[in-house]
Amino acid sequence: MDTSSTPRYPSDLTDAQWELIAPMVPVKPGGRPAKHARRRIVDAILYVNRTGCSWRQLPHDFAPWDTVYWYFKTWNEAGVTDRIHDALRAAVRDGNGRDPMASAGIVDAQSVKGADTVGRDSRGYDAGKKVNGRKRHIVTDTLGLLIVVLVTTAGLQDRVGARPVLARAKMAMPSIALVWADGGYVGKLIAWAQQHCRILVDIVRKPEGRHTFEVLPRRWVVERTLSWLMRTRRLARDYERLPEHSEAMIKWAMIGLRPDAWHPRPDDAHGNPRTPDSTFPNTY
């Protein structure tokens, strides 16, 4: 049985957020009524995601940790996490006057250290970033909202990981026809994406002679999304035993964003931010 209550932690859902996702969170079928409210299960997952605590260290006012983990795993396997995430993304795009099916996106990758819970079979070494762990390959829309994520070993090159993540993006959102990328994606990927995914990969380069940091058109959007993820403590490094659970945690991080984070400031005609916007939602 569901009950509404005043949020007790900054990561808890607001009433408005719960109202949006409640129809997509399955009710326990048959048998005895569920002992724990669906909303508090979602709040517990968001708490682990935001604070970075282990499952076993969930506060006692939530359901038992193994119950929460069971729901996390079961919902991920059943596609519930994807449905919630994708529905929220579509609603935000619609609220911004955009078609829920995006026609353009941005691809990037991020290497993060792996905790001792990450096995050798799913971790690797990124020599360029000097990181031993995993790599997150993501495609976002032009608002910075996540379309798809693929978690691999950190040793996989960006342009190699781009193939399966672009294929996954095309399957999830067939309307995508253009994807911006940085110089790490040059080479055979461009022809491959055009032939196999019908996606034009446009490389955004730094102006010649520039060696300092510079906000690049379109590129800043996906970099901001990656910075949002890193402010979620569970994602500061990879703790998940399974890559698919890492992907689920990334989706839950996006689900947990407050509404003000899902409304980026308007861009100028060149895709640059009109004003600096590097602050993660401060409602946590």
Side-chain angles (χ1 to χ4, degrees), residues 46-66:
L46 292 175
Y47 182 92
V48 170
N49 194 295
R50 182 67 186 94
T51 65
C53 76
S54 66
W55 292 105
R56 293 175 184 270
Q57 295 186 60
L58 265 174
H60 295 301
D61 52 342
F62 288 118
W65 74 267
D66 51 349

Side-chain angles (χ1 to χ4, degrees), residues 8 26 30 38 59 81 87 107 118 128 147 186 193 208 222 230 244 255 260 263 272:
R8 283 166 281 182
R38 296 175 301 153
T81 307
V107 64
V118 176
I147 296 176
V186 297
E208 291 188 15
V222 69
M230 290 300 284
E244 53 266 36
I255 292 169
D260 55 344
H263 295 278
N272 295 314

